[in-house]
Amino acid sequence: MRYLEVTVPEGKREVVLEILEDEGIDYVVSDETSGRGYAAVVRFPVPTRAVEPLLDRLKRAGIGDEASVVVINAETVLSEQFSTLRDRYSRGGQLGARTSRQVLRTKADELTPPFSIYTVMLLISAVVATAGLLADSPAVVIGAMVIAPLLGPALAANVGIVTGDARLKSTGFRYQIVGVAMVVVASIALATLARFAGLEPAGVDIVVATELEERVAPNLFSLAVALGAGIAGILSLTRGFSEAIVGVMIAAALIPPSAAVGITVAWGMYGAAIGAAVLVIVNLLSINLAALATLWIAGYRPQGLFEVSPTRTPTYTYAAIFGVGLLVLAAPLAGVTLLEFHTTELESAAEEEVEAVLAEPQYDGLESDDVAVELDGDYPIQSVERVVVTVTTRNPEPESGLADRLYEEIEPHSDDSLIVEVQYIVSEERGEDDDTDAQRVTIRTADGT
């Protein structure tokens, strides 16, 4: 429920009161004596669903921007006439419906902090996210998501589009673009300092050693977070759900990938940086497309029939830009997804073939310990490089012909040429209780050719 206070311009008092009477609204009228061109102040409670159509009707009657309107949350209204009005606007649905268009603009604007505060909070978030990724600490990365103020700009841009508010739209897009750029630049600076300080693990792939791997080679499932965040963000704004939780979702889609771009650039891994950058752009497009579609489906439009068409065109234009960009950039994500499916299938088939080969009599005493498919590390679109088969044995000598035999069985399951590498874990008995020592030894590598 809402409680409205409308300052009525001179000459419009009768028009306003006629509309309120026609709507069946209980109201209180006070004379306005400030001498600033107002005739009266009208106060009245209305159901939430009634705010937008009522203000639209007042505007069509000539009560424009010169009137002052204050909308306040109302806890309880005890009135039989108000109960009738509430039932009429509930339309058989849940009470406390969507936020009015006018309040929606205000809420979106309030969720966008001053630029100085926005900059400071994002820089802090970038530092925390970069440190968390380098330290391979999910808890620290989550902390970076919590403090990132990205919800307001993402929602403001799309509220501005569907309601025809150019200022809100430009502010939202500017904050988003500048914010992501700041995170990337800050992450490059911090990661460069970390690398020069000797924090790079010697001989270890930084992508594999940290939480970066899923962000530099993203798949189509990465879209789920961004699309869900965009939809949930609008629902939180229009239906009163917790904005804080939704803000973490939006930050989860943007902050870690942006920090991943900075880290991989600092480490000179430009292919991985491209993969992370694609994920950032895809998530930005997904959040905005989902938010825009949710707003439009929910029926948010500018006031009046004559204002729908001018706003429908830019809304469709932005939706097309978001959609086409998303489709183009989703192509490499689809490639990564197909590669993951292929890798899983190849690993499963290789495990079966290894078990079948080792069950043959000539390989008695050998047992499969692990089968792993390794990629070539050529980010963002990788390919299968080798299959590593680890077996346990008590014989310190490699089994002649095993690598070639495994290659013959595994290679048909792959579309590309690959290497089959056989590693041995040599175990030795010791003591009366048959305790064993096991030592991993790479005896031989073979590609079957």
Side-chain angles (χ1 to χ4, degrees), residues 51-339:
V51 174
E52 185 172 349
L54 178 61
L55 293 180
D56 288 346
R57 186 173 176 184
L58 289 173
K59 188 171 183 180
R60 288 194 297 270
I63 313 300
D65 295 335
E66 69 275 11
S68 174
V69 179
V70 178
V71 181
I72 306 171
N73 286 332
E75 293 291 336
T76 304
V77 177
L78 302 178
S79 167
E80 183 177 345
Q81 189 167 350
F82 180 83
S83 298
T84 302
L85 183 66
R86 181 179 57 188
D87 292 339
R88 175 155 62 90
Y89 274 98
S90 69
R91 299 188 186 98
Q94 298 238 344
L95 302 180
R98 71 170 201 178
T99 302
S100 68
R101 186 184 67 255
Q102 293 81 4
V103 176
L104 182 68
R105 287 178 176 174
T106 302
K107 292 180 67 175
D109 199 24
E110 289 176 348
L111 285 172
T112 305
F115 190 73
S116 58
I117 301 299
Y118 180 73
T119 301
V120 171
M121 294 299 291
L122 267 188
L123 289 176
I124 295 173
S125 178
V127 171
V128 174
T130 305
L133 290 174
L134 289 174
D136 200 19
S137 173
V140 175
V141 175
I142 292 173
M145 301 173 193
V146 172
I147 62 177
L150 292 173
L151 175 63
L155 302 185
N158 295 283
V159 169
I161 291 173
V162 298
T163 61
D165 191 325
R167 182 196 61 82
L168 202 58
K169 176 183 68 176
S170 61
T171 299
F173 282 130
R174 185 175 70 253
Y175 269 52
Q176 289 183 73
I177 296 171
V178 173
V180 169
M182 283 194 303
V183 173
V184 172
V185 172
S187 298
I188 292 175
L190 183 60
T192 301
L193 291 175
R195 187 178 184 187
F196 287 155
L199 299 183
E200 178 182 6
V204 176
D205 186 351
I206 187 67
V207 169
V208 176
T210 63
E211 276 208 332
L212 293 174
E213 191 164 15
E214 64 186 53
R215 282 143 185 141
V216 300
N219 56 35
L220 285 175
F221 298 111
S222 305
L223 295 176
V225 175
L227 290 171
I231 295 172
I234 292 301
L235 292 179
S236 71
L237 196 63
T238 61
R239 305 289 175 170
F241 302 144
S242 172
E243 287 96 356
I245 296 176
V246 179
V248 174
M249 285 184 64
I250 291 179
L254 296 176
I255 294 297
S258 299
V261 174
I263 293 172
T264 48
V265 168
W267 254 261
M269 303 178 65
Y270 299 112
I274 291 174
V278 168
L279 179 59
V280 172
I281 298 173
V282 164
N283 284 349
L284 270 174
L285 293 173
S286 300
I287 289 170
N288 284 278
L289 179 61
L292 185 60
T294 305
L295 281 168
W296 188 259
I297 292 172
Y300 285 98
R301 309 283 193 278
Q303 182 269 332
L305 294 176
F306 296 105
E307 295 186 66
V308 171
S309 294
T311 306
R312 179 179 293 147
T313 299
T315 301
Y316 289 167
T317 301
Y318 278 103
I321 293 172
F322 296 153
V324 171
L326 192 57
L327 288 175
V328 172
L329 292 176
L333 272 64
V336 173
T337 305
L338 292 176
L339 174 64

Side-chain angles (χ1 to χ4, degrees), residues 6 19 27 38 40 49 53-54 80 97 121 125 138 140 143 154 198 209 222 233 286 304 360 373 377 419 426 442-443:
V6 180
I19 292 175
Y27 61 87
Y38 296 111
R49 281 187 174 178
L54 178 61
E80 183 177 345
M121 294 299 291
S125 178
V140 175
S222 305
S286 300
E360 297 175 3
V373 177
I419 295 172
V426 180
T442 303
I443 303 294

